[in-house]
Amino acid sequence: MLIRDILKTRSGGISFEFFPPKSEAGKDAFMGVVKELRQFDPIYVSVTYGAGGTTQERTLTTLEWLRNETDLTVMSHLTCIGATQKAMDELMRKYISMGVNNILALRGDPPKGVPDFDPFKGEFRYASDLVRFIRRYDSFTIAVAVYPEGHQESPSLEMDMEYTKRKIDEGADFAITQMFFDNRYFYQFMERAERIGIKIPIIPGIMPIGDIRKITEFASFCKATIPEWIRKRIEPFQNEPEEMKRIGIEIAIEQCMDLQENGVRFFHFYTLNRAEMLSSILRGLNFPLPLF
Ligand code: FAD
């Protein structure tokens, strides 16, 4: 199903982001997580795509499992850095034949561990080029990534918003944000987006903090600030994983409740392929809500 149609008919909902398991051996555990989270009635689930196409086969296999073994609406992430138009065209046809008709169009980053990778060899420079390319097929809902604190390479928040607007104007149907831990960044982003005339749905990306060290590493790479009050609350429990998760659950519930109080109705959760913590968060938020 096209997510853009679902977004028009639903008054709210949640979605889950997964990454492809490393091998076929991880399939049972992965599908177990998906089935556990299925009870929360996601409007769609998405599967990430390795930088420079490094996990293309695994992403496609994971999408196939989800298509064949669940009734979930699926979305493929897709990065274009280093790709050729010919390869992208083949992939679009493959998606159509698989019944995957929702794509999160991304530029991506140069893949780690591929020293001779040349980003300029590809025929797509920015995500906006990919959005324009996919739009030609007239078959897909297209989502894009947006950055409440600005993308790490953007020279300023104003330029970041300018490029975001251009990318959306190429034909994006909705956007998902990078993780953020202080809702003020999201509210300020929404104000900037409104001022510049962005009208598509923007869904906040929520990253539960299960392990502060890992999240700090990831957050520093993608320029997401972890506020001091969160550090003070979690860091004393660095060596007590269960307690750290309990506080991470509380923080995510508080974050989503504040967003709900400020009118947010759709949430995209970064699952890290784990169900337990997220299930507690969603139960704490009374999902699935009957009105969805
Ligand atoms: P773009 O929109 O192309 O922006 C990249 C940079 O270029 C920005 O700084 C932007 O301001 C600048 N820019 C844009 N247009 C112009 C222009 N015309 N002139 C000059 N500068 C310009 N990565 C993966 O590898 N796989 C995934 O599955 C994946 N999933 C993600 C999901 C979400 C929800 C998010 C938020 C990110 C995800 N990423 C993923 C990370 C993403 O690939 C990186 O953040 C990447 O660095 C930027 O991708 P983008 O699509 O936002 O790029």
Side-chain angles (χ1 to χ4, degrees), residues 16-39:
F16 299 131
E17 177 173 315
F18 298 107
F19 56 83
K22 284 204 173 64
S23 68
E24 188 76 25
K27 180 181 176 187
D28 287 350
F30 173 75
M31 291 308 286
V33 169
V34 171
K35 285 188 180 132
E36 198 171 334
L37 290 175
R38 170 78 191 81
Q39 63 177 303

Side-chain angles (χ1 to χ4, degrees), residues 2-212:
L2 287 167
I3 296 172
R4 64 168 177 247
D5 294 337
I6 304 177
L7 291 174
K8 278 183 206 143
T9 54
R10 297 273 291 251
S11 55
I14 53 176
S15 52
F16 299 131
E17 177 173 315
F18 298 107
F19 56 83
K22 284 204 173 64
S23 68
E24 188 76 25
K27 180 181 176 187
D28 287 350
F30 173 75
M31 291 308 286
V33 169
V34 171
K35 285 188 180 132
E36 198 171 334
L37 290 175
R38 170 78 191 81
Q39 63 177 303
F40 296 102
D41 193 21
I43 54 174
Y44 69 87
V45 297
S46 73
V47 181
T48 63
Y49 191 89
T54 46
T55 69
Q56 188 187 106
E57 274 313 310
R58 288 197 277 128
T59 300
L60 292 177
T61 303
T62 307
L63 289 164
E64 248 156 19
W65 296 340
L66 291 166
R67 287 282 302 147
N68 295 341
E69 296 176 33
T70 76
D71 58 353
L72 292 163
T73 295
V74 298
M75 175 166 79
S76 182
H77 296 211
L78 176 58
T79 62
C80 62
I81 190 170
T84 61
Q85 298 214 6
K86 185 170 175 291
M88 277 298 173
D89 177 57
E90 279 163 18
L91 194 52
M92 291 303 120
R93 289 166 199 278
K94 173 104 186 149
Y95 280 142
I96 291 169
S97 72
M98 287 169 67
V100 174
N101 48 12
N102 303 292
I103 298 179
L104 173 55
L106 301 149
R107 183 199 68 177
D109 296 303
K112 288 188 199 120
V114 186
D116 55 351
F117 184 83
D118 177 4
F120 298 107
K121 235 171 63 188
E123 293 168 7
F124 298 84
R125 187 136 192 215
Y126 299 110
S128 52
D129 301 327
L130 183 59
V131 174
R132 194 179 322 119
F133 183 84
I134 301 172
R135 187 48 77 211
R136 293 204 313 235
Y137 293 81
D138 203 23
S139 302
F140 300 97
T141 290
I142 306 174
V144 289
V146 297
Y147 302 84
E149 297 181 60
H151 182 260
Q152 65 267 24
E153 292 162 32
S154 294
S156 67
L157 287 180
E158 289 66 35
M159 285 314 290
D160 188 80
M161 188 50 78
E162 183 63 43
Y163 294 136
T164 298
K165 171 87 163 63
R166 280 192 215 169
K167 169 163 78 174
I168 289 170
D169 286 350
E170 289 292 350
D173 297 294
F174 77 104
I176 304 172
T177 78
Q178 182 57 277
M179 61 180 173
F180 58 92
F181 300 98
D182 183 335
N183 286 351
R184 281 176 300 184
Y185 291 118
F186 179 73
Y187 301 138
Q188 287 160 8
F189 176 88
M190 295 302 278
E191 279 168 24
R192 290 198 300 281
E194 193 182 343
R195 269 203 302 278
I196 204 170
I198 291 174
K199 297 200 180 350
I200 59 168
I202 295 174
I203 303 184
I206 307 294
M207 174 70 88
I209 304 178
D211 179 339
I212 189 73

